[in-house]
Amino acid sequence: DEMDVDTIWMDGEFQDWDDAQVHVLTHGLHYGTGIFEGVRCYDTADGPAVFRWDAHLDRFYESAKPYEMDIEHDREELTEATMELIRRQDLESCYIRPIAFYGYNSLGVSPKDCPTRVAIACWPWGAYLGEEALENGVEVMVSSWRKHSSSQIPTNAKTTGLYVNSMLAGEEARRNGYTEAIVLDKEGYVAEGPGENIFMVNDGELYTPALSQSILDGITRQSVIEVARDLGYTVHDDATISRGQLHTADELFFTGTAAEVTPIRQVDNVEIGSGTRGPVTEEIQQRFFDLVEDPGDEYADWFTYV
Ligand code: PMP
């Protein structure tokens, strides 16, 4: 198959791709009651290493909490399963997708007596928005869809059902000729991308929306805040950014496990800054790509070697 995956870990066992199946009456399929992670393994100077595995595992278990989902596999088991999947498939760099969801018991909305199913798959994945995007930036549109507010659904939990909003926003943008969307929160302030956090640069300082603003607590966001501060930048990680401020920003960029650090060159056909990757974005992006190639002592504790 095109994903080039032979083995998937599911419910405690390594299974062939073809055998890793669920029933059509799975609770999570009907009601979006799953939680998941997206993680990258980088081919570092000292071999394949998973970036911020501990932080992703923390978020995985935390995402399960509001749904009272009991993941019966501990950190050691999920870690060993993931490393073994990467080793078995001889992957040097890859994307890792752990997922937990309510399986089949009865189809009431209450997941009572539905088993919690857990699976992990890994596959090779390049630049999410394309190599060209990393260098020249993407053209985005402000979506007409708003983000669900954190009073409607726990937006800090990485829940499968939440991604219908991401899909609607992203597809609306692509239908209109853009690469990606920016989604505003209920009040109309900038929240995030469909699968990315967002940063703004003005007068050499960085701004990113507050965690209270219905956004995911992105692990790349956390990492980029730290990297930028290490480079000497002032980072405001509790900003409120209006739609108009997007247009007048010196620079904008997305962060995410899939998108890594992707410059934004236009919003709604308005050029941002010079209309290409800005110098602050470039410096942070370069530092990010350097450190995932060679963490050195400074970022050694962000990596779990396969
Ligand atoms: N926001 C949303 C809605 C996302 O899906 C993602 C991707 N997980 C992010 C932000 C970025 O998070 P991370 O850096 O942890 O991948």
Side-chain angles (χ1 to χ4, degrees):
D1 67 275
E2 71 173 70
M3 270 173 85
D4 202 20
V5 182
D6 340 297
T7 310
I8 287 176
W9 181 91
M10 197 168 183
D11 301 325
E13 285 167 27
F14 292 97
Q15 303 194 1
D16 287 342
W17 161 275
D18 291 332
D19 296 331
Q21 308 274 359
V22 293
H23 196 270
V24 72
L25 297 184
T26 294
H27 194 279
L29 178 62
H30 291 252
Y31 305 120
T33 51
I35 58 99
F36 67 106
E37 271 306 316
V39 193
R40 269 190 198 263
C41 171
Y42 285 99
D43 183 18
T44 73
D46 295 319
V50 179
F51 183 62
R52 312 234 31 200
W53 177 246
D54 289 327
H56 282 281
L57 262 190
D58 286 346
R59 195 172 62 185
F60 189 64
Y61 288 106
E62 283 168 12
S63 291
K65 279 200 171 173
Y67 306 105
E68 298 178 274
M69 194 180 277
D70 186 17
I71 297 172
E72 287 174 357
H73 304 273
D74 63 19
R75 297 177 75 96
E76 288 66 37
E77 189 180 5
L78 296 187
T79 302
E80 183 45 33
T82 301
M83 303 305 152
E84 179 60 18
L85 275 177
I86 298 169
R87 287 192 292 260
R88 276 198 197 192
Q89 298 177 103
D90 272 329
L91 294 163
E92 278 155 352
S93 62
C94 63
Y95 184 81
I96 304 160
R97 168 56 56 82
I99 184 168
F101 55 94
Y102 280 116
Y104 172 70
N105 184 59
S106 66
L107 267 183
V109 171
S110 168
K112 193 170 159 299
D113 300 327
C114 289
T116 297
R117 313 279 312 265
V118 184
I120 306 171
C122 308
W123 62 87
W125 228 18
Y128 182 58
L129 299 171
E131 282 291 338
E132 200 262 344
L134 292 177
E135 202 176 317
N136 298 319
V138 288
E139 297 175 357
V140 306
M141 91 176 253
V142 174
S143 181
S144 66
W145 294 102
R146 295 287 174 90
K147 270 217 71 124
H148 11 58
S149 118
S150 59
S151 62
Q152 295 168 312
I153 195 158
T155 47
N156 58 337
K158 197 165 162 63
T159 310
T160 59
L162 285 179
Y163 285 79
V164 294
N165 178 260
S166 293
M167 194 204 100
L168 288 166
E171 293 312 293
E172 178 190 38
R174 286 180 277 277
R175 218 166 35 240
N176 284 284
Y178 301 88
T179 302
E180 189 58 301
I182 290 174
V183 190
L184 307 179
D185 69 11
K186 204 171 100 243
E187 283 72 39
Y189 294 107
V190 175
E192 59 186 341
E196 303 90 358
N197 292 110
I198 190 168
F199 284 78
M200 175 174 84
V201 181
N202 267 336
D203 296 327
E205 298 191 0
L206 282 86
Y207 299 80
T208 193
L211 291 181
S212 56
Q213 245 163 300
S214 307
I215 61 168
L216 190 72
D217 184 358
I219 290 159
T220 321
R221 175 186 180 279
Q222 295 169 14
S223 307
V224 159
I225 289 170
E226 213 170 311
V227 165
R229 287 182 178 152
D230 289 348
L231 287 169
Y233 288 103
T234 298
V235 184
H236 307 270
D237 60 4
D238 55 355
T240 304
I241 302 174
S242 69
R243 183 173 180 168
Q245 283 178 295
L246 292 174
H247 291 161
T248 57
D250 292 344
E251 303 179 30
L252 294 173
F253 61 90
F254 279 136
T255 64
T257 297
E260 300 172 296
V261 179
T262 298
I264 298 170
R265 73 159 178 262
Q266 276 186 17
V267 177
D268 293 329
N269 296 318
V270 176
E271 281 196 353
I272 306 309
S274 58
T276 163
R277 175 175 61 187
V280 176
T281 305
E282 185 172 356
E283 187 184 359
I284 289 165
Q285 188 190 43
Q286 192 58 52
R287 189 74 193 98
F288 180 83
F289 283 120
D290 285 348
L291 83 88
V292 297
E293 227 169 76
D294 186 3
D297 291 339
E298 202 174 353
Y299 300 106
D301 58 354
W302 282 357
F303 292 82
T304 304
Y305 286 87
V306 172

